């Protein structure tokens, strides 16, 4: 792993060629699907809940954009999906999914 990290830091190989695992500098490379499985195994955080509520309220309307990391987590959970083509150099547009609406309704019952 250390040899691969050294090659990556020297620019000899791209990030995609690093083997999955934890590296001495604290960096972590996930295997395909590993990060998504970790996200789905944990409860929703505060930002995810707030973002999911905003997508619920804006259902069908463009204009609301959550943070990049929060959107990635909600997308990994299947609660939001990309709609339309992704504009060059910009964040894609998202909309809440049926699973996302159902999850927000379930969460809002407990408020």
């Amino acid at each position: 792993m250390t040899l691969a990290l050294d090659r990556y830091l020297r620019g000899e190989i791209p990030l995609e060629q690093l083997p999955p695992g934890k590296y001495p500098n604290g960096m972590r490379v996930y295997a395909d699907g590993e990060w998504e499985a970790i996200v789905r195994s944990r409860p929703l955080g505060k930002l995810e809940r707030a973002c999911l509520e905003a997508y619920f309220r804006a259902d069908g309307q463009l204009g609301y954009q959550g943070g990049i990391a929060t959107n990635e987590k909600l997308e990994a959970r299947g609660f939001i999906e990309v709609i339309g083509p992704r504009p060059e150099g910009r964040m894609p547009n998202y909309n809440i999914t049926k699973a996302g609406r159902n999850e927000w309704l379930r969460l809002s019952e407990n408020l």
Side-chain angles (χ1 to χ4, degrees):
M1 272 201 191
T2 304
L3 292 174
L5 179 61
D6 290 341
R7 291 185 64 208
Y8 166 73
L9 293 174
R10 287 192 305 266
E12 295 173 4
I13 61 172
L15 181 65
E16 295 80 28
Q17 289 184 4
L18 283 175
K22 291 183 181 180
Y23 287 85
N25 67 349
M27 186 171 75
R28 171 90 189 248
V29 176
Y30 295 100
D32 287 342
E34 181 183 10
W35 178 80
E36 292 84 352
I38 292 169
V39 168
R40 287 189 294 267
S41 72
R42 295 180 176 157
L44 284 173
K46 287 182 190 179
L47 289 176
E48 289 174 279
R49 288 175 67 110
C51 192
L52 184 60
E53 178 183 10
Y55 278 116
F56 180 82
R57 294 189 189 287
D59 189 13
Q61 302 173 25
L62 294 180
Y64 178 75
Q65 291 289 333
I68 294 170
T70 306
N71 281 340
E72 289 175 348
K73 290 177 184 177
L74 289 175
E75 189 175 16
R77 293 176 188 276
F79 295 160
I80 62 172
E81 62 188 355
V82 174
I83 56 170
R86 181 181 183 146
E88 182 72 30
R90 298 183 55 108
M91 284 181 53
N93 292 311
Y94 292 94
N95 197 17
I96 194 167
T97 63
K98 184 176 181 179
R101 281 190 293 278
N102 291 340
E103 179 65 10
W104 177 250
L105 290 171
R106 186 187 71 76
L107 291 170
S108 63
E109 287 176 355
N110 299 324
L111 295 178

